[in-house]
Structure formats: C-alpha cells, structure tokens
C-alpha cells in the first residue's frame, strides 16, 4: 500500500528535467540523442511530514548523493535495454577459481594492489587481486593495473567494485573477449573469495550507466557541434521521425532514401489511399505512400498554413507556430509493423544494423513494384562491376560480371592499431577494393589449382551510389568497431575505375558447357559480405545462411557459433543443377483449371506448372511455399537493355548526397543518425530532431549515398509551395510582419 511504502522509505527525491532531456541513447519510446544541454535539480522531501529538507545540510547532501545512485524505474528500463545484448561468455561460464590463502577483507579492497587509487577498482574473480581500471586518452580512469594483471596471469574475468548489489548484479568485464559480460554465478564466485553479496552496497555507476552518459556527452556534443545548440528546422523535407523503440536505424536510412527525387515521385502522391480496397494496415502501397507523403510535407503543411492565415494577431500566430513545430514529426508505427512483418529481426524492437535494413527495404520495394507492375525506383542504385581474373601461369583471363545495388568497402590494413586519430584517404579505400588481389582457383587451361590476379572495375555507374564502410570486424573472434576517419571529399571522380574492353591479345579461359554446370544454392551476397566482415570464411557464411533460410546475417552468425562442429560446415556447399535452357513446357489446361479451382489465378497456376514440369501436385506445393511476390516475371529484356545502355553512358563523377553514422564504440548498441546536404547546407536528422549542422563529420560515416553530378533535387511539394524549405518559425515571422503592416 501507499502508506506502507511511505513508512519504509520516508524520503523522496524529486528530479526536475528540462524539456528535451534524454534518458537513453537510441533506446526507448522517445529514443534518439540530442545536442542540447541538460540541467537537473534535486530536492529531498519527507513524505511523512510533507516537508522539503534543507539541501545545504551535510547529512541531507550525503543522502541525496546516495539516492541519486539508485535508478528510477524509467532509468532502470533504459539501462536494461542498453544492456539487452549482454550475455555470458565461455570464460564466465567455465571460470576456474584459485584457492585464496584467506578470505578477502574490506581493508584489502580499499585501493589498487599496485598503486594508491581507491576508485574504479576491478576485482579478479580468479585469484582475488584488485587492480585499477584502464587509462583513458585524457589520462583519466586508472593506471591499467587490472589489464596488466590479465596480461601477466591470463585471468580474464573481473568485477567492478562498488557496482555489486545485494541481488548479485554488477559490472563484469572479460578481458579475453574485451566485452562487458554477465556472470550467472557471481554470488558463488564472490563467496569463494570470502565476500557476501548481501552485505554489498552500490557506490559507483555501472559500465552501462557510464557508457550511456559518456556517449551522450562525447559523441553527441563534443564530436558534433562541440556542445553548441543547433538551429532547429521544421516543415516539408525537415520532418522528424519518432523513435518507436530502437528504430533509429530505420529512421536514418529512410530519411536518406526519401530525400531522393525518384522515391519522392514514386510514393509521395497519396491518391492510392482513396481508392485502395484493402484495409490500410495490410497494404504496403498504402503505408509507404502515407509515410512518404507525411515525411515530405503532408497534411500538416496545409493545416498550419490555414491556421496562420486565420490568426488574428501576432501572439496567436507565434503560439500556433510554436505548437506545430514541436509536434511536426511522424510516428510510422503501422508502416514499421507491416515492413517487418514475418521477419525474425525487423519485426522486433531490438537494435538492428542500418545496412542490413537498407538491403531488406530495397528488396521489399522491388518485389512490391514488380507485383504492382510499376516502375521500380530502385533502378537508380543498380550498376554492374566486372571482376577480372588472370592466371599467373598461362595468362588466361576470366571476366565475371556482378550486378548489384551497393558496395562494401573494406578499410585497408595499416601499421599499428586503428584509433580515432587514424585517417584513411578515400582513394585508398577504392584501391583496396579494386585490387590487385591474389586468389587461388582451378584453371581450365592448366588443369590444376593456380594463383590468379584479381582486379575489379565498374562496367557502368548508377545514378546514386551506395557505399558501406566495413567498420565492424572480428578480431580474434571478438567483434569490434574501427573508429577510423575516412577522408571523403564532397566530390570525386571514378572514371579511372571504369573497366577496359578486352584486348585482342587477351586469352579467354574456356567456359564449362552449360549443361554440365552445378551451381551453389543461392545466398544473399550482402549477407555473405556482412558475415565475411565478421570474420567468417565465405564457405562458413554461405552454409550458415543456407541453414537459417537466408533470412539475415545475425541469425546466420548465431547459428554458426552454436553449431561450429556441424557436419555441413566441413562439407561442400549444396548445389543445384542448371542445364541449358529448355523449351517452354506444355501446360495441361486440365491441370490449370484444377489449380484455379483452389483460388489461384490463371497466370500463377500456369507459371507454377511450368516450373514443376506440368506436375499438378508439385505445382500446388510450389504455390503454397512461394508468395505471389516471389514468382513475378522479371523485367522485359528490351527494357533492361535500354537501361543498361543508359547506365554505360553515365560519367562517374559523384557528389556526396547523405550519410548515416553509427554513434558509440560498442558493436552491440549505439545510435544511428542521418546527415545530408541540402541547398548547400548540412542538415542533421536525429529521430524527431532536425537541425542545421556546421560540423557534419563526414569521415565518421557508416553508410554513404553519393549522386551523379548535376542531378536535380527537388522536394515533391516544391512547385506547390515556394517556402517549402523555410522553417515554420520563419513562416510565423512572415505572418507577424503581415499583421504589423495591417
């Protein structure tokens, strides 16, 4: 009851937060990070006598400081979500403890065993030695004695003193994994050392709490704008997207995509919503058009214009402007639900990889547009590059053409370690991708395994080039993020990387007869690249994807680590036979009518029978296992050829359009923001916040979008409203001047 709670805890601390305060980074309903200063005021009140105590009293101050260390329900939820990915590692689950001569005493836990530091102390759970924490770049933190002890002894697991609670929770770090982990047997491990968790009192913040505060203070203020308040923007093309719970990856990608005119032209007209016979919650066309329309302008644009026009005085106009600028964001809950429906990862509220989401979204749009028999806006990303492989022995050449919509650029190796002071020229990234690289493969002329020199060049260029920087890597099976700075110019030329036509002297390697070919079971090239980036071999990546239904890289890597001894990882990748193109199968009308009687259309019935050698039973199984959008006919050959010729004619001169940045050092958590160049200024999109940024830090991006030079960029509503790029506050200013003139 309320009264019993008052008796047990007669004091209450009231925390007054200023508007715009952030309690979590990219996590929670409000979500998103901010660039604005946060001020907090604490008061201590007695609920029994309804009085506020004097905060200048030393005892009251001490009590306030101790209660401040206790997280509220809201803050506890934020920290729990931040630490959602923490797991036990093999070093905590198999921890071998040494016998200690005598139980540890509180006196021995007062300072580091190798220096005089008395805070930020870490207790080795193997032998009980106490060492101070790592030394930070600014000489704060500790003196590295905890790390030194691990290097000398090999004892990997430590617990931070001062974070241990009576419930047996604490900050635990594994030096071998270089990650914060969970120890399910922490009370037992501490009891072995002579410590009882029931008598522990929390006196320091956990790593999760410190990371949360540090990322907000460092990544969002120092790295971006040096803590200065940025000028907020509102209105068409400057509409924020509310974080629905770890959806910053979606918001940042969609802001970049829908800033491109082809996607605006395709989806910003909401007319479909008036004629669609389906329920809107199940119609992808309805949801994507509603999303695009409101993101780019929408009804609020007309609503505020009407309200401002009817305002009777200056104060009323300013009130209207303030009210609607703060509310001007969209909350695409239905769109997010429908977009992720059926997907094991994107249907959840867990944090996801922005690059994986981009590939998933573009594939979803492509299938939908084919199903609707409409022009696919994804063609602006499509291009072809050529891999040239030349045998070092016989000089025979094999050329392989790869059609794709994005590139992943690896970070070139350097001497020493990658740090946040490491700068990599963008040109070096392209050289690293292009090669040459030495690979081993079978040579049909030499009739044996030979070394080949591999180079890669562009056959044509897309209107918009998507580039993902491989910042997330596995080092000794430990996932890490590379904090390097990529020196990306505002404009660059890729014409020197255009593939050359084969010379007359070039000796082409013979192809195997098509009828004898056996090809591997198909897997997503983007997922394979992501898994290779994590440290898996190409073989391991493909097997893991096949075993998990080719659904996502995260599922595949989880399967791999849980099944590292699985026989399929040591066997050849499953193949399927591909023969020469057979003549069209004659479809029985009787079988067509039979399948149509089950509710399928004639076209789908005929296609299924063609794919199943006119076997009705197999065709029915095919139809039930292949949704309608999976067996749509591909683009007509003639149209594809026209597009190919147009692509070849493009000159590979690019300007930067936008980029998505991952904030935070951890690979398991963090926050995504988008930044793009509009009208010569850099605009910052952070969930619901949109502002002008003076220091976009282009070199720290994860996902980049470049566009061909001289591409016309206009908002869908530009021609309808000449003030579409003016903030609503400035529109209110225009209206107030109108009132003054009257």
């Amino acid at each position: 009851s309320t009264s019993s709670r008052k008796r047990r805890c007669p004091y209450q601390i009231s925390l007054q937060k200023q508007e715009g305060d952030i309690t979590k980074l990219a996590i929670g309903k409000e979500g998103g990070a901010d660039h604005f200063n946060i001020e907090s005021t604490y008061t201590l009140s007695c609920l029994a006598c309804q009085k506020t105590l004097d905060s200048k009293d030393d005892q009251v101050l001490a009590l306030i400081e101790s209660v401040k260390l206790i997280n509220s329900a809201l803050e506890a939820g934020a920290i729990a979500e931040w630490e959602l990915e923490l797991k036990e590692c093999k070093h905590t689950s198999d921890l071998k403890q040494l016998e200690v001569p005598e139980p540890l005493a509180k006196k021995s836990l007062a300072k580091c065993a190798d220096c005089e530091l008395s805070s930020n102390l870490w207790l080795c759970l193997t032998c009980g030695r106490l060492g101070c924490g790592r030394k930070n770049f600014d000489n704060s933190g500790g003196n590295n004695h905890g790390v030194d002890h691990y290097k000398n002894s090999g004892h990997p697991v430590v617990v931070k003193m001062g974070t241990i609670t009576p419930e047996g929770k604490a900050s635990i770090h594994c030096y071998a994994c270089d990650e914060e982990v969970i120890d399910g047997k922490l009370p037992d491990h501490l009891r072995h050392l002579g410590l009882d968790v029931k008598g522990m009192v929390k006196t320091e913040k956990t790593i999760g709490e410190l990371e949360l505060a540090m990322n907000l203070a460092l990544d969002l203020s120092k790295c971006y704008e040096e803590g200065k308040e940025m000028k907020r923007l509102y209105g068409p093309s400057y509409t924020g997207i509310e974080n629905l719970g770890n959806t910053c990856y979606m918001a940042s990608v969609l802001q970049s995509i829908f800033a491109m005119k082809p996607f605006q032209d395709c989806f910003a007209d909401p007319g479909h919503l008036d004629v669609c016979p389906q329920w809107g919650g199940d119609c992808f066309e309805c949801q994507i058009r509603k999303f695009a329309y409101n993101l780019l302008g929408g009804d609020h644009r007309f609503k505020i214009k009407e309200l401002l026009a009817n305002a009777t005085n200056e104060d009323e106009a300013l009130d209207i402007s303030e009210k609607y600028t703060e509310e001007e964001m969209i909350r695409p809950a239905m769109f997010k639900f429908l977009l992720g429906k059926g997907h094991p990862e994107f249907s959840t509220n867990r944090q996801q990889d922005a690059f994986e989401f981009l590939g998933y979204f573009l594939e979803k749009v492509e299938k939908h547009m084919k199903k609707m028999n409409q022009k696919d806006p994804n063609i602006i990303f499509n291009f072809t590059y050529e891999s040239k492989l030349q045998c070092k022995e016989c000089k025979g050449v094999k050329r392989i053409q790869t059609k794709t919509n994005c590139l992943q650029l690896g970070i070139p190796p350097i001497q020493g370690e990658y740090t946040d002071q490491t700068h990599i020229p963008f040109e070096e990234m392209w050289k690293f991708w292009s090669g040459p690289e030495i690979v081993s493969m079978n040579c049909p002329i030499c009739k044996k395994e030979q070394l080949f020199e591999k180079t890669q060049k562009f056959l044509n260029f897309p209107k918009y080039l998507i580039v993902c920087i491989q910042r997330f890597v596995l080092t000794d099976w430990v996932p890490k993020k590379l904090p390097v700075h990529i020196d990306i110019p505002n404009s660059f030329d890729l014409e020197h990387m255009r593939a050359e036509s084969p010379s007359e002297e070039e000796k082409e390697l013979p192809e195997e007869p098509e009828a004898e070919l056996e090809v591997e079971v198909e897997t997503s090239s983007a997922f394979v690249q992501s898994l290779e980036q994590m440290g898996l071999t190409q073989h391991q990546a493909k097997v893991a994807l096949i075993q998990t239904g080719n659904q996502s890289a995260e599922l595949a890597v989880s399967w791999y680590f849980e099944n590292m001894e699985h026989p399929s990882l040591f066997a050849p990748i499953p193949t399927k036979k591909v023969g020469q193109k057979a003549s069209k199968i004659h479809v029985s009308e009787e079988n067509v009518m039979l399948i149509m009687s089950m509710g399928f259309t004639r076209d789908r019935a005929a296609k299924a029978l063609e794919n199943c050698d006119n076997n009705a039973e197999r065709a029915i199984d095919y139809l039930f296992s292949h949704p309608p959008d999976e067996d749509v006919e591909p683009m007509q050959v003639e149209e594809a050829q026209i597009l190919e010729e147009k692509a070849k004619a493009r000159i590979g001169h690019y300007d930067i359009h936008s980029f998505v940045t991952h904030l935070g050092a951890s690979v398991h958590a963090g926050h995504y923001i988008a930044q793009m160049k509009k009208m010569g200024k850099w605009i910052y999109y952070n969930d619901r916040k949109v502002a002008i940024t003076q220091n976009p830090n282009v070199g720290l991006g994860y996902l980049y979008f470049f566009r061909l030079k001289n591409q016309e960029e206009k908002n869908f509503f530009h021609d309808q409203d000449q003030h579409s790029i003016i903030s609503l506050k400035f529109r209110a200013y225009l209206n107030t001047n109108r009132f003054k003139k009257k």
Side-chain angles (χ1 to χ4, degrees):
S1 67
T2 304
S3 58
S4 65
R5 282 201 299 270
K6 286 183 180 179
R7 284 195 296 271
R8 288 198 302 267
C9 184
Y11 297 105
Q12 178 187 32
I13 280 188
S14 171
L15 172 59
Q16 298 175 352
K17 296 184 179 179
Q18 303 297 321
E19 185 176 1
D21 198 355
I22 296 296
T23 58
K24 44 187 172 288
L25 182 62
I27 302 170
K29 298 298 183 182
E30 292 300 320
D34 203 351
H35 282 189
F36 305 97
N37 294 329
I38 299 170
E39 295 182 3
S40 301
T41 302
Y42 295 90
T43 59
L44 184 65
S45 302
C46 176
L47 297 179
C49 58
Q50 299 296 315
K51 289 184 178 180
T52 299
L53 304 183
D54 183 6
S55 59
K56 295 181 180 179
D57 184 272
D58 290 341
Q59 289 184 330
V60 174
L61 282 174
L63 188 54
I64 287 178
E65 290 301 318
S66 63
V67 180
K68 279 166 61 177
L69 291 170
I70 303 173
N71 294 315
S72 68
L74 178 63
E75 291 165 333
I79 297 301
E81 288 181 330
W82 175 269
E83 296 179 342
L84 185 62
E85 299 296 329
L86 294 184
K87 299 178 181 178
E88 274 195 317
C89 70
K90 63 179 182 180
H91 304 99
T92 55
S93 58
D94 299 332
L95 183 66
K96 307 297 183 186
Q97 293 186 283
L98 302 179
E99 292 297 329
V100 292
E102 57 182 351
L104 297 176
K106 288 187 177 181
K107 185 177 180 181
S108 65
L109 299 177
K111 64 178 183 178
C112 172
D114 297 314
C115 68
E116 296 299 316
L117 288 181
S118 58
S119 62
N120 190 23
L121 301 178
W122 295 80
L123 179 69
C124 174
L125 290 179
T126 302
C127 67
R129 185 180 179 84
L130 199 65
C132 56
R134 299 176 191 261
K135 179 178 289 187
N136 298 326
F137 66 94
D138 59 354
N139 291 323
S140 64
N143 293 318
N144 280 340
H145 291 139
V147 181
D148 292 342
H149 173 65
Y150 161 67
K151 291 179 179 178
N152 296 330
S153 66
H155 300 168
V157 184
V158 292
V159 59
K160 185 179 181 183
M161 300 305 296
T163 66
I164 305 171
T165 67
E167 294 78 26
K169 295 182 179 180
S171 277
I172 301 167
H173 187 83
C174 177
Y175 287 121
C177 299
D178 197 21
E179 283 287 346
E180 189 178 5
V181 295
I182 293 174
D183 182 3
K185 300 178 181 178
L186 179 62
D188 296 335
H189 291 153
L190 290 174
R191 192 177 300 111
H192 177 85
L193 299 175
L195 300 176
D196 184 3
V197 296
K198 293 181 180 179
M200 296 291 183
V201 177
K202 182 183 175 187
T203 59
E204 295 192 24
K205 286 187 176 292
T206 65
I207 295 301
E209 294 162 353
L210 290 172
E211 273 195 344
L212 185 61
M214 190 173 7
N215 277 313
L216 285 170
L218 180 62
D219 283 333
L220 306 184
S221 60
K222 184 175 180 181
C223 292
Y224 294 87
E225 306 302 282
E226 299 295 332
K228 296 178 182 178
E229 182 173 331
M230 297 188 296
K231 180 183 177 182
R232 295 282 295 275
L233 295 176
Y234 309 93
S237 292
Y238 302 114
T239 302
I241 301 175
E242 183 174 356
N243 195 311
L244 305 175
N246 293 326
T247 55
C248 55
Y249 67 90
M250 180 183 81
S252 56
V253 167
L254 294 182
Q255 288 283 14
S256 298
I257 291 293
F258 282 94
M260 300 173 186
K261 191 172 184 299
F263 275 82
Q264 296 177 2
D265 293 342
C266 189
F267 296 117
D269 186 347
H272 172 83
L273 279 72
D274 297 327
V275 298
C276 180
Q278 282 184 269
W279 178 60
D282 286 336
C283 178
F284 184 80
E285 185 84 2
C286 283
Q287 291 304 317
I288 195 170
R289 286 183 179 274
K290 183 175 71 171
F291 172 83
Y293 176 70
N294 286 285
L295 183 71
L296 300 170
D299 287 334
H300 63 264
R301 169 180 166 273
F302 303 105
K303 184 175 182 179
I304 191 170
K305 284 182 65 179
E306 181 182 352
L307 291 171
L308 288 172
N310 295 328
T312 57
N313 55 59
E314 177 179 343
D315 291 337
E316 185 179 346
L318 288 173
D319 289 342
I320 292 170
S321 175
E322 290 295 331
K323 176 183 177 182
Y324 281 92
T325 53
E326 290 304 315
E327 292 182 357
E328 190 162 318
M329 65 170 182
I330 60 174
R331 191 175 190 274
M334 293 181 71
F335 181 47
K336 195 264 180 187
F337 173 79
L338 189 60
L339 192 60
K341 190 175 182 180
H343 193 278
E345 293 300 328
F346 297 124
S347 61
T348 70
N349 278 341
R350 292 193 293 268
Q351 179 69 290
Q352 306 296 337
D353 182 85
F355 179 59
E356 286 190 18
F357 173 76
L358 172 65
Y360 173 77
F361 174 74
L362 296 182
E363 183 180 2
K364 196 87 171 177
V365 170
E366 179 185 8
K367 288 183 176 180
H368 174 74
M369 301 308 284
K370 285 182 179 179
K371 181 181 176 181
M372 301 292 289
N373 197 25
Q374 295 177 359
K375 184 179 179 181
D376 182 10
N378 284 336
I379 60 175
I380 63 174
F381 304 122
N382 296 343
F383 65 97
T384 306
Y385 68 88
E386 181 182 77
S387 300
K388 177 183 175 183
L389 297 122
Q390 186 170 37
C391 178
K392 302 282 284 184
E393 183 69 25
C394 68
K395 304 302 179 184
V397 173
K398 181 176 183 177
R399 293 177 181 265
I400 302 173
Q401 295 184 4
T402 303
K403 294 184 178 181
T404 186
N405 58 6
C406 63
L407 281 182
Q408 285 191 287
L409 296 187
I411 296 177
I414 61 171
Q415 290 184 347
E417 294 186 359
Y418 297 104
T419 70
D420 56 4
Q421 301 300 313
T422 303
H423 282 250
I424 306 291
F426 197 38
E427 183 62 29
E428 292 300 313
M429 303 278 291
W430 286 111
K431 289 180 181 178
F432 187 59
W433 173 79
S434 179
E437 176 188 4
I438 302 300
V439 298
S440 177
M441 57 182 286
N442 185 62
C443 177
I445 292 180
C446 301
K447 304 296 183 183
K448 62 178 181 180
E449 193 89 1
Q450 292 283 24
L451 294 179
F452 281 71
E453 183 179 89
K454 178 184 176 182
T455 56
Q456 298 182 134
K457 294 290 182 67
F458 287 90
L459 278 178
N460 51 54
F461 296 101
K463 289 183 178 180
Y464 288 82
L465 176 63
I466 302 175
V467 172
C468 180
I469 305 298
Q470 294 181 339
R471 290 190 178 274
F472 303 105
V473 298
L474 275 181
T475 304
D476 297 328
W477 297 105
V478 176
K480 291 184 178 180
K481 178 183 175 183
L482 302 182
V484 301
H485 192 288
I486 311 299
D487 296 329
I488 295 181
N490 288 326
S491 302
F492 58 93
D493 183 1
L494 290 179
E495 273 299 312
H496 65 285
M497 296 191 65
R498 188 186 288 271
E500 299 176 352
S501 300
S503 62
E504 295 182 359
E505 296 80 17
E506 185 176 292
K507 181 167 58 175
E508 184 179 359
L509 291 176
E511 294 285 347
E512 295 290 334
E514 189 178 356
E516 300 175 6
L517 283 180
E518 277 199 5
V519 298
E520 295 177 353
V521 174
E522 293 178 1
T523 52
S524 166
S525 59
F527 291 161
V528 171
Q529 288 181 354
S530 296
L531 291 169
E532 287 182 307
Q533 179 182 340
M534 296 178 192
L536 275 67
T537 65
Q538 188 179 85
H539 181 90
Q540 292 167 341
K542 289 183 176 181
V543 170
L545 284 168
I546 292 170
Q547 291 289 338
T548 54
N550 201 35
Q551 295 186 65
S552 74
E554 187 169 338
L555 274 180
V557 76
S558 297
W559 179 91
Y560 172 77
F561 283 117
E562 293 171 2
N563 301 272
M564 296 181 70
E565 301 300 323
H566 198 279
S568 62
L569 290 169
F570 307 97
I573 294 174
T575 60
K576 60 181 181 180
K577 292 184 178 180
V578 179
Q580 294 181 352
K581 242 180 182 177
S583 57
K584 191 171 182 178
I585 304 273
H586 173 71
V587 175
S588 164
E589 182 66 20
E590 181 181 356
N591 286 342
V592 171
M593 297 302 294
L594 173 65
I595 295 175
M596 288 178 63
S597 67
M598 303 178 67
F600 296 101
T601 64
R602 171 177 285 275
D603 289 343
R604 292 201 68 210
K607 178 175 178 57
L609 288 167
E610 285 179 13
N611 288 335
C612 301
D613 299 324
N614 199 35
N615 184 306
E617 186 176 351
R618 285 173 52 203
I620 293 170
D621 288 339
Y622 173 89
L623 287 168
F624 279 114
S625 61
H626 291 72
D629 57 348
E630 289 191 13
D631 57 4
V632 182
E633 285 291 340
M635 184 186 298
Q636 294 295 323
V637 175
E638 295 81 1
E639 185 179 351
Q641 290 175 343
I642 293 173
L643 291 174
E644 189 78 14
E645 291 302 318
K646 286 184 178 180
K648 287 181 179 179
R650 296 189 190 114
I651 306 299
H653 296 171
Y654 285 93
D655 293 325
I656 189 167
H657 172 269
S658 58
F659 64 98
V660 173
T661 303
H662 175 268
L663 302 178
S666 173
V667 300
H668 302 300
H671 184 61
Y672 287 103
I673 61 172
Q675 297 175 83
M676 63 188 71
K677 207 167 190 180
K678 290 186 176 183
M679 311 296 289
K681 294 183 178 180
W682 279 101
I683 312 300
Y684 162 94
Y685 293 83
N686 175 15
D687 289 338
R688 63 194 297 174
K689 308 288 193 302
V690 182
I692 295 176
T693 174
Q694 303 298 331
N695 180 22
N697 264 327
V698 180
L700 298 179
Y702 171 53
L703 190 58
Y704 291 89
F705 300 88
F706 303 101
R707 70 164 176 254
L708 287 177
K709 277 186 175 294
N710 303 319
Q711 287 275 340
E712 183 182 19
E713 284 293 313
K714 285 186 179 181
N715 178 266
F716 177 80
F717 296 104
H718 179 82
D719 295 331
Q720 303 176 45
D721 185 359
Q722 60 179 335
H723 299 301
S724 64
I725 63 168
I726 303 176
S727 73
L728 293 181
K729 286 188 176 180
F730 185 60
R731 293 191 197 182
Y733 169 76
L734 295 178
N735 278 275
T736 56
N737 282 346
R738 172 170 58 84
F739 296 136
K740 287 179 180 178
K741 289 178 183 178
K742 285 188 176 181

